[in-house]
Every structure is written in structure tokens, then in C-alpha cells.
Amino acid sequence: MTDHSTSHNHELLNLYTHHVRRYLVESGFRREEAPPVVRYVNHWGTHSLILYCELDGLSNEEIGAVAEREAEYFRRLGHSFEWKVFDYDIPENLRFILQDRGYQVEPDESLMVLDISRMPDTLVLNAGPRTRRHRPCMPGGSLTPRPV
């Protein structure tokens, strides 16, 4: 028996990984595939990102060598950078391998997903036939959900 919510969550995670990590198109950034990582190099500033990696099957030493290569690459560009590590990345100890190579571990961040067709009324302001407006979640901010 398959748990529908688990398979649905897995599907959402795959979509997120594909569109927001691996194949993101972001204004002001150049996407570079440098196996086993995908870099996003900032055109307008000096802070860039690694959002995706495929490290399955590599040893800790091989991953460490990739980490050193990437640090050197961005150093040559004159960029600082962040290697975004997700809790479902492989290997599970990736954050510790990077930390051992001098990377700073920042506080955890969270991603939340809500099926807006099932959004509780307590979250809806000005609910109407065309839009549902989310209560401001940050001072001075608001969010208008859109299907993806």
C-alpha cells in the first residue's frame, strides 16, 4: 500500500529540485554545469551559489576535492558563494564534509508548500473568485499565491 501524501510530497520535491535547483533560470545569474555541481554565477554582484549537486557514489575525499575546486573557482572570480545543502541531498553527511573543508554552516532554512486549492480560510484575506491573498507573513509584506 502506498501512502498518497508521501508520494505526493516526493513528486513536489522532485519538481522543486528540477525547477528551482537544477534548471533554475534567474535574471542576473549565469547557470554553469560543472559536474557534479550546478553553479549560479552572479552577473551583477559578487555573491554566487551552488544550488544542485550529484555526489552519490563519491567518497568523502572526492567530495572534499570538489568542495576545494569550487572554493578556488569562486575565489578566482572574486566571488563569495553559498553551497545550498538540502536535507535530502546525498550523502547525508554533506554538510559535515563541507564544514571539514572550511565551509561555514548557516542556520537551517525551511521550505513550505501549500495546495492553494485547499488553503484554509483562516489564511485567506479578500478571498474572491480570481485570487486568494495570503496574510502578510513579514512586516510590510504580503504574498499572492499563484499555481505552479
Side-chain angles (χ1 to χ4, degrees):
M1 185 157 96
T2 302
D3 179 356
H4 175 71
S5 65
T6 300
S7 69
H8 184 68
N9 291 343
H10 185 69
E11 179 185 341
L12 288 173
L13 199 55
N14 285 340
L15 287 169
Y16 178 82
T17 299
H18 181 86
H19 292 286
V20 179
R21 294 185 65 195
R22 191 167 188 183
Y23 297 106
L24 178 68
V25 175
E26 182 69 28
S27 177
F29 284 84
R30 176 179 70 243
R31 182 182 174 279
E32 294 181 354
E33 287 195 34
V37 303
V38 178
R39 305 175 183 133
Y40 291 87
V41 179
N42 194 326
H43 287 295
W44 300 331
T46 58
H47 184 74
S48 296
L49 300 163
I50 293 175
L51 287 178
Y52 181 77
C53 58
E54 285 187 10
L55 304 170
D56 194 20
L58 297 181
S59 69
N60 289 1
E61 293 77 27
E62 291 169 321
I63 294 168
V66 170
E68 289 173 5
R69 177 193 81 184
E70 294 307 308
E72 178 58 27
Y73 174 81
F74 287 109
R75 193 173 13 258
R76 282 194 319 267
L77 288 179
H79 285 218
S80 61
F81 77 102
E82 182 177 2
W83 187 319
K84 288 283 197 183
V85 176
F86 293 74
D87 65 355
Y88 61 92
D89 283 345
I90 297 175
E92 291 178 5
N93 65 338
L94 176 57
R95 92 174 26 205
F96 301 110
I97 295 170
L98 294 174
Q99 190 173 16
D100 288 346
R101 298 296 174 139
Y103 285 68
Q104 283 188 321
V105 175
E106 295 183 356
D108 288 344
E109 298 172 3
S110 297
L111 170 68
M112 297 187 305
V113 177
L114 173 66
D115 181 345
I116 63 172
S117 68
R118 297 180 186 175
M119 186 183 302
D121 287 337
T122 57
L123 295 178
V124 179
L125 294 178
N126 304 324
R130 294 187 183 177
T131 66
R132 301 178 92 181
R133 191 162 208 48
H134 186 279
R135 287 186 186 173
C137 56
M138 293 181 274
S142 66
L143 172 67
T144 302
R146 297 200 188 338
V148 293

